[in-house]
Amino acid sequence: MKSYILTFTMLDMPHPVWRRVIMPEGATFNRLHSVIQDVTNFQSYYTDSPYHFFEINVDGLCITDNPIRRDELKGTPGITPKQPTRLKIDEILENHNELIYEYDLGDGWRFLIELDSIVENYHFGFPTLLDGEGEAPPEDVGGPPGYAAFLETIANPDDPEYDHMITWARSNGYRPYNKDRINQRLKSVKYQKTDWDQIDHVNHKIVSDPYRDPEISSEGAGSLPPSAPKAEAEAQTGEKPAAPLTDEEKELEQYIRAMVNLYGFTEADHVGSLYSRQNGKALTGGELVQRVASSALESRLQEDVILVRNNHFLGPKLAHIDPDLFFKEIAGKPYYEPAKEQLLRYAEAGYYDRTPELEQLEELFLQEHIPQLQIDRMLHGFMHNLSVWHANFMDAVSRLMDQAGPLAEESVNRIISAAVLVSNNVRLIENRGFTPQELHQLGIMHSAPQSGAPVQPSGKIGRNDPCPCGSGKKYKKCCGRY
């Protein structure tokens, strides 16, 4: 089928970073964006809730997944905003041969996209990485200057920030360039039909192809009938796949992930005890550690920066945290242990409770006619910023209001008050999974949670009144600035 060979080159970088990819025709600009994300270390992918937005400007078009940016550009002479999900790359790419792709305008990443050639002998329905060079940066490292400083730190194991920086980078998706791993991921970016009749293969295992690496040798393929099972093919190639996890091991993995996300870390004994109580089984911490070490569980956890140390599971939320301060702060606090169904929801990274307070905040943004998609992104970021250790409410709400755009003072009053109530009901690792409100009700937190002004359909906070966010500052010097 008709396909494009493209080179993506990151601009203004401290060292060369580029990827050469082949893509079938018919991709939208959102698919192109997804492929760039997949072949680097960025994390927006093909999703309705990207981590950051992207933009391509060409022929008077501003192609972007940022709905606020599109709204701002409506009616601008000479510029037509376009949704990337509704526009295909083919005609524009062939007419221009080069495009500039901008991602995360805060960090300021820029890529040069070059059309190297058009071919007709690529028969896979998904892209393939052909070649590349250089480690791609992690998210939120601070653009090219921040990446240069990051590389300097991780190149020196004696740097006092080395361990923290490595852990932070892994938790933000930083991985060494690995062509095989990337191509395995790109198989899921399928938007055309693979024409296996045109491919030299046995049981969908590639024997030879000009663009994709062989998955089975020609000698092995010649000795296997077309119906030979996958296990026999693997035996012929000498590859021994990792044993798949049992159902029980998969459930244990969910428990470990959930408890690490709730508490920052968890003891193996605690995981074994809670698992046993909720499932009517008997599993000790020592037995759990042994099962993790003897299966694919440990490597799966390590991929997401969950480390096994001295019968403890340590999660990425502990990066940049002083261990002594953290353990001193959690001492004497009980663990929040919800029922199994609720507990395992926290196994998903980024999961947060849809509390009534959060729904009230969402409703206030809807009343301001902000698109639902944008609200979802705003609240996801807000909840993430509130859930980090010693979260700074002012920083979190500042980012939230910046994303909301200019609002009437009366609306700001109501939104800030609602945001305060949301912050009181966020599960925190320093509270062992409890919210500030819950610990106060248990009599463990001696200071009362922050109290926002009642959320009313009307009313006004004076500019010299105390700010409802609880900062102690005057409203005009605090949230009244937005």
Side-chain angles (χ1 to χ4, degrees):
M1 73 182 79
K2 181 179 177 181
S3 301
Y4 303 110
I5 296 180
L6 308 173
T7 297
F8 309 139
T9 304
M10 297 193 73
L11 304 177
D12 310 314
M13 296 294 285
H15 63 72
V17 179
W18 58 271
R19 306 287 186 261
R20 183 165 293 118
V21 172
I22 186 167
M23 296 179 59
E25 66 176 338
T28 64
F29 275 91
N30 219 34
R31 286 291 184 195
L32 176 64
H33 160 66
S34 176
V35 172
I36 293 174
Q37 298 285 305
D38 276 314
V39 299
T40 59
N41 282 321
F42 295 136
Q43 301 181 47
S44 284
Y45 311 120
Y46 189 81
T47 172
D48 287 337
S49 300
Y51 192 75
H52 292 297
F53 299 116
F54 79 92
E55 190 170 304
I56 294 175
N57 289 278
V58 60
D59 288 343
L61 305 178
C62 179
I63 306 162
T64 178
D65 59 346
N66 186 338
I68 292 180
R69 175 74 168 143
R70 292 198 301 268
D71 287 343
E72 290 174 347
L73 291 175
K74 286 180 180 177
T76 302
I79 301 178
T80 302
K82 285 287 186 180
Q83 290 191 34
T85 55
R86 299 180 180 179
L87 185 64
K88 293 188 176 181
I89 67 173
D90 304 64
E91 183 177 350
I92 291 176
L93 198 59
E94 293 181 31
N95 287 343
H96 290 272
N97 294 320
E98 291 186 359
L99 298 169
I100 295 293
Y101 164 94
E102 299 177 83
Y103 174 68
D104 181 7
L105 302 188
D107 272 6
W109 301 112
R110 298 169 65 244
F111 290 72
L112 173 64
I113 301 173
E114 298 174 278
L115 175 59
D116 295 336
S117 61
I118 302 173
V119 300
E120 299 286 346
N121 62 337
Y122 181 73
H123 303 292
F124 297 91
F126 46 83
T128 292
L129 176 64
L130 304 177
D131 199 2
E133 178 186 5
E135 314 295 354
E139 292 279 13
D140 297 333
V141 76
Y147 188 41
F150 164 81
L151 291 174
E152 184 177 343
T153 299
I154 67 170
N156 180 13
D158 295 328
D159 191 299
E161 287 295 310
Y162 176 84
D163 289 337
H164 284 314
M165 191 64 76
I166 290 292
T167 303
W168 171 84
R170 289 292 303 273
S171 68
N172 273 32
Y174 185 66
R175 299 289 187 275
Y177 170 65
N178 184 306
K179 179 182 173 183
D180 292 338
R181 174 178 58 82
I182 292 171
N183 274 330
Q184 193 63 32
R185 182 193 299 170
L186 286 174
K187 285 184 178 182
S188 65
V189 189
K190 187 174 182 179
Y191 56 94
Q192 297 286 11
K193 184 177 179 181
T194 296
D195 188 358
W196 285 105
D197 290 341
Q198 300 293 323
I199 299 168
D200 183 12
H201 75 101
V202 172
N203 284 344
H204 300 164
K205 289 284 218 178
I206 300 169
V207 177
S208 64
D209 188 81
Y211 302 105
R212 290 191 67 85
D213 293 335
E215 299 169 333
I216 184 173
S217 67
S218 56
E219 293 82 3
S223 62
L224 290 171
S227 59
K230 182 178 180 181
E232 290 183 42
E234 287 166 345
Q236 292 278 355
T237 61
E239 298 176 1
K240 184 178 180 180
L245 296 180
T246 65
D247 289 343
E248 186 176 36
E249 287 169 342
K250 290 177 182 177
E251 192 166 64
L252 286 170
E253 179 183 14
Q254 294 297 95
Y255 268 84
I256 294 168
R257 290 180 181 275
M259 295 172 74
V260 161
N261 288 336
L262 267 176
Y263 313 136
F265 84 104
T266 185
E267 305 97 330
D269 286 341
H270 188 195
V271 179
S273 171
L274 186 56
Y275 175 80
S276 298
R277 281 183 275 131
Q278 293 189 342
N279 294 277
K281 298 182 179 181
L283 178 70
T284 68
E287 291 169 341
L288 173 62
V289 170
Q290 186 176 12
R291 292 193 67 171
V292 168
S294 62
S295 68
L297 257 177
E298 185 165 12
S299 61
R300 287 170 60 92
L301 294 171
Q302 286 179 345
E303 287 177 3
D304 291 322
V305 203
I306 299 175
L307 307 179
V308 186
R309 296 287 187 274
N310 299 321
N311 293 332
H312 289 71
F313 298 98
L314 311 177
K317 287 186 177 182
L318 295 184
H320 296 294
I321 292 178
D322 184 314
D324 292 335
L325 290 178
F326 178 70
F327 286 105
K328 182 178 179 180
E329 186 168 2
I330 66 174
K333 294 178 181 176
Y335 283 104
Y336 167 70
E337 294 182 344
K340 177 179 177 179
E341 181 180 359
Q342 176 62 24
L343 173 68
L344 295 187
R345 291 173 183 167
Y346 297 100
E348 179 185 348
Y351 172 81
Y352 53 84
D353 296 334
R354 292 284 304 179
T355 63
E357 293 80 10
L358 185 61
E359 291 177 353
Q360 172 67 63
L361 181 59
E362 179 182 44
E363 178 59 31
L364 291 175
F365 282 124
L366 286 171
Q367 291 174 13
E368 299 300 322
H369 306 291
I370 298 175
Q372 181 69 60
L373 176 59
Q374 179 62 13
I375 294 173
D376 291 343
R377 291 167 174 161
M378 289 163 50
L379 294 182
H380 180 82
F382 183 55
M383 295 301 288
H384 169 75
N385 293 332
L386 289 178
S387 66
V388 299
W389 186 59
H390 286 186
N392 187 314
F393 176 78
M394 281 305 303
D395 285 348
V397 81
S398 294
R399 295 184 186 186
L400 180 70
M401 300 310 294
D402 285 343
Q403 292 172 323
L407 298 175
E409 186 174 317
E410 181 180 319
S411 298
V412 172
N413 294 344
R414 296 199 300 270
I415 289 170
I416 297 295
S417 297
V420 171
L421 300 179
V422 169
S423 71
N424 289 335
N425 291 276
V426 174
R427 304 206 171 278
L428 302 174
I429 60 172
E430 59 260 43
N431 291 344
R432 287 188 163 174
F434 279 105
T435 70
Q437 185 68 39
E438 289 170 341
L439 282 189
H440 181 66
Q441 291 170 347
L442 291 171
I444 296 171
M445 181 175 284
H446 299 297
S447 59
Q450 301 179 92
S451 60
V455 182
Q456 301 292 341
S458 63
K460 184 175 181 180
I461 300 174
R463 291 183 58 75
N464 289 312
D465 289 342
C467 188
C469 77
S471 66
K473 299 179 182 179
K474 289 183 179 181
Y475 176 67
K476 67 182 181 182
K477 296 289 187 180
C478 192
C479 297
R481 294 179 291 117
Y482 301 102

